[in-house]
Amino acid sequence: MPLMRWEPLREIDSLQREMNRLFDSFTNDGSPMERTTTAFVPLAEIEETTDAVHLKLEVPGMEAKDIDIQVTAEAVAISGERKSEIKTEEKGMTRTEFRYGKFRRVIPLPVRIQNTNVSADYKDGILTLTLPKAEEEKNKVVKVSLG
């Protein structure tokens, strides 16, 4: 059996590369090409008041013209595309961890709304929708029987 020289620094470097690959597999961060094709799903908050449903979506890095909002009496569909700015460096490497691509999210509403009176605001990457409740939902009385 031939003798091999032990190089601890080389083994530490190899261990670091393997650990990086392991963590990349857990976070689904593959190659830069894979990252640019992975779409994102905007996070949402929904709040119901006596008169309306208030919906907020987090869509940073987009312009209002790139967001499409469609509202029915029972749901809100929001779609858009976050476009990447491709920067190339002659010497060195460019790495991005941002998510780019198309997205579509349909959010069912807890009550029927008047989809003709919806108001929207987009500021600092937050899309805010005010969805007024339908009149029959405001005046809805439910009879509860005992026994």
Side-chain angles (χ1 to χ4, degrees), residues 3-140:
L3 291 176
M4 298 181 80
R5 185 173 188 183
W6 182 53
E7 297 180 27
L9 293 178
R10 182 176 296 196
E11 289 194 28
I12 290 172
D13 186 46
S14 174
L15 177 64
Q16 183 177 9
R17 281 194 308 272
E18 290 299 317
M19 293 296 288
N20 286 341
R21 272 192 227 130
L22 177 68
F23 286 123
D24 284 346
S25 70
F26 285 134
T27 59
N28 291 330
D29 286 337
S31 69
M33 288 303 292
E34 289 174 12
R35 273 196 296 275
T36 58
T37 59
T38 304
F40 69 100
V41 177
L43 301 176
E45 260 183 22
I46 191 165
E47 177 187 7
E48 183 179 353
T49 62
T50 56
D51 294 330
V53 174
H54 302 278
L55 177 64
K56 289 183 183 179
L57 262 88
E58 188 178 62
V59 283
M62 295 185 67
E63 294 183 28
K65 66 180 176 76
D66 295 330
I67 302 171
D68 181 45
I69 305 164
Q70 297 178 0
V71 182
T72 66
E74 295 89 18
V76 176
I78 298 154
S79 59
E81 182 176 4
R82 183 184 290 171
K83 298 174 184 165
S84 66
E85 298 175 14
I86 299 173
K87 296 178 183 175
T88 316
E89 292 182 20
E90 288 182 26
K91 296 179 182 177
M93 183 178 93
T94 302
R95 179 179 170 149
T96 181
E97 294 183 358
F98 290 165
R99 302 274 185 202
Y100 297 104
K102 294 181 181 182
F103 72 91
R104 179 170 169 80
R105 181 147 187 202
V106 178
I107 300 171
L109 298 172
V111 295
R112 291 182 60 82
I113 57 136
Q114 298 175 21
N115 61 341
T116 55
N117 294 332
V118 174
S119 64
D121 182 44
Y122 183 66
K123 182 178 181 185
D124 297 332
I126 305 293
L127 173 65
T128 305
L129 298 175
T130 302
L131 309 148
K133 288 183 179 180
E135 289 300 321
E136 63 267 12
E137 291 293 332
K138 289 183 189 176
N139 300 324
K140 190 175 192 178

